[in-house]
């Protein structure tokens, strides 16, 4: 009679986990690890929607008929109440487009710190990889997938809330349109920059491995991308042009609403001489006679204005979104490449 004994497994070796179980276990582990951040993010998104849409609802309680019934503010509580509601709504809408520009920076800070660098700095990433029987690449891939879905969903909801609040005053000066915050919050650009912040944060956390430096690098990279995006935005799509004859009569200068649409984004204005040379207006401000004298001395024959009408906003958004997402993919690829080289 013979007895076959199974070879002993060393206690430090984790038991093999089936592939299907591993695929479901990793997202659950990442969800448990970062559930507080998800709850906080969902709560802040809900609070933003509640405040902004609540102000919109308060303003909508007073229709044009209520306002028309009160020709003056004296003894007319309806008009005074409408004025208060409109002021609160307008202030919240104006500030919300600036606040939304900070969301990619917050995402980058969390991705660089608690999502990646903190675990490496504390050394708990080895325990997580051992207990889950997952490779570092699989763990990062699962965590990044969960974070990407959460960030994309939150970004879409923020854009929908902002666009809903903006609809009654679309085209008003100072909100929406080509204003940096309003432009980003009105379309897919905000979602793309949030995903870019996530990618930069993960890349910084993986490369640096220390929380504070990684957070600084992730936020700085995302902030720089936002600034560069505003600077190059006018050059992402062919512009429309208008040429107006130059005279010393100020009334003949090109004007918004007459020579180009009021809601256009001006890329540049120049004086053009007979041989086609362009004179930048800024070089004429300090000269005697101002722009008119500068143009006369230089022999200017026309004004040239390059602008983007409002109809160009969607194509510009799509081009910028594609470029930002491409940059995010490159940052994530760099993070995985570094992680593969640093771990066996």
């Amino acid at each position: 009679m013979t007895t076959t004994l199974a070879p002993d497994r060393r206690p430090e070796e984790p038991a093999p986990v089936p592939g299907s179980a591993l695929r479901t276990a990793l997202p659950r582990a990442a969800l448990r690890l970062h559930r507080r951040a998800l709850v906080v993010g969902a709560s802040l998104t809900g609070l933003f929607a509640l405040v902004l849409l609540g102000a919109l609802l308060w303003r909508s309680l007073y229709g044009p008929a209520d306002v028309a019934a009160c020709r003056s503010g004296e003894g007319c509580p309806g008009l005074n109440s409408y004025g208060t509601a409109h002021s609160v709504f307008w202030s919240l809408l104006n500030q919300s487009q600036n606040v939304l520009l900070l969301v990619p920076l917050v995402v980058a800070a969390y991705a660089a710190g608690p999502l990646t660098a903190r675990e490496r700095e504390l050394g708990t990433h080895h325990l997580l990889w051992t207990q889950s029987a997952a490779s570092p690449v699989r763990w990062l891939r699962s965590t990044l997938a969960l974070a990407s879905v959460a960030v994309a969903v939150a970004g879409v909801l923020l854009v929908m809330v902002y666009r809903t609040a903006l609809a009654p005053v679309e085209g008003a000066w100072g909100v929406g349109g080509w204003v940096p915050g309003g432009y980003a919050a009105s379309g897919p650009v905000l979602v793309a920059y949030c995903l870019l912040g996530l990618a930069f944060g993960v890349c910084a956390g993986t490369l640096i491995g220390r929380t504070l430096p990684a957070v600084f690098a992730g936020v700085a990279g995302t902030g720089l991308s936002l600034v560069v995006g505003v600077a190059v935005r006018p050059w992402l799509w062919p512009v429309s042009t208008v040429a107006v004859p130059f005279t010393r009569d100020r009334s003949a200068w090109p004007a918004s609403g007459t020579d180009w649409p009021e809601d256009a984004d001006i890329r540049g204005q120049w004086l053009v001489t007979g041989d086609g040379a362009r004179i930048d207006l800024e070089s004429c401000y300090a000269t005697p006679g101002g722009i008119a004298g500068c143009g006369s001395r230089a022999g200017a024959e026309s004004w040239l204005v390059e602008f983007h009408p409002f109809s160009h906003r969607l194509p510009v958004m799509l081009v910028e979104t594609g470029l930002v997402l491409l940059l995010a993919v490159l940052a994530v690829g760099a993070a995985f490449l570094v992680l593969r080289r640093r771990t066996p």
Side-chain angles (χ1 to χ4, degrees), residues 25-76:
L26 289 179
R28 288 199 304 268
L31 184 62
R32 285 197 304 269
L33 187 61
H34 301 285
R35 62 183 180 275
R36 289 186 179 180
L38 293 174
V39 171
V40 171
S43 301
L44 291 177
T45 302
L47 180 62
F48 175 83
L50 180 64
V51 171
L52 194 56
L53 296 182
L56 173 64
L57 178 62
W58 182 22
R59 177 183 180 273
S60 65
L61 294 177
Y62 305 93
D66 298 327
V67 178
C70 302
R71 297 299 180 183
S72 66
E74 298 179 0
C76 185

Side-chain angles (χ1 to χ4, degrees), residues 254-277:
S256 173
T258 303
D259 299 294
W260 67 80
E262 291 186 356
D263 57 2
D265 179 46
I266 307 302
R267 192 170 79 173
Q269 299 182 64
W270 299 273
L271 291 170
V272 182
T273 63
D275 57 358

Side-chain angles (χ1 to χ4, degrees), residues 46-278:
L47 180 62
F48 175 83
L50 180 64
V51 171
L52 194 56
L53 296 182
L56 173 64
L57 178 62
W58 182 22
R59 177 183 180 273
S60 65
L61 294 177
Y62 305 93
D66 298 327
V67 178
C70 302
R71 297 299 180 183
S72 66
E74 298 179 0
C76 185
L79 182 61
N80 294 335
S81 300
Y82 172 79
T84 302
H86 180 74
S87 298
V88 171
F89 165 75
W90 188 262
S91 177
L92 289 174
L93 182 65
N94 194 23
Q95 295 301 322
S96 64
Q97 62 187 14
N98 299 323
V99 171
L100 289 178
L101 278 180
L102 300 178
V103 175
L105 303 181
V106 176
V107 173
Y110 185 82
L115 194 65
T116 51
R118 187 181 64 180
E119 302 300 332
R120 299 183 65 86
E121 188 174 33
L122 297 178
T124 56
H125 60 296
H126 292 296
L127 179 62
L128 292 172
W129 296 339
T130 302
Q131 289 184 343
S132 62
S135 66
V137 173
R138 281 189 175 183
W139 177 259
L140 180 60
R141 185 168 56 198
S142 177
T143 303
L144 187 59
L146 176 66
S148 298
V149 171
V151 167
V153 170
V156 170
L157 290 177
L158 291 175
V159 171
M160 292 176 60
V161 169
Y162 178 80
R163 289 190 60 86
T164 302
L166 180 67
V169 293
E170 182 74 49
W173 182 85
V175 294
W178 296 97
V179 179
Y183 165 90
S186 299
V189 178
L190 179 65
V191 181
Y193 276 109
C194 288
L195 292 174
L196 179 65
L198 176 64
F200 275 178
V202 168
C203 185
T206 305
L207 287 172
I208 299 174
R210 297 179 59 190
T211 302
L212 291 180
V215 168
F216 176 80
V219 171
T222 306
L224 181 61
S225 300
L226 287 168
V227 173
V228 172
V230 174
V232 304
R233 189 169 296 157
W235 308 91
L236 297 179
W237 195 257
V239 293
S240 299
T241 60
V242 60
V244 179
F246 172 77
T247 67
R248 293 181 62 90
D249 183 8
R250 185 180 180 87
S251 63
W253 292 7
S256 173
T258 303
D259 299 294
W260 67 80
E262 291 186 356
D263 57 2
D265 179 46
I266 307 302
R267 192 170 79 173
Q269 299 182 64
W270 299 273
L271 291 170
V272 182
T273 63
D275 57 358
R278 295 185 180 186

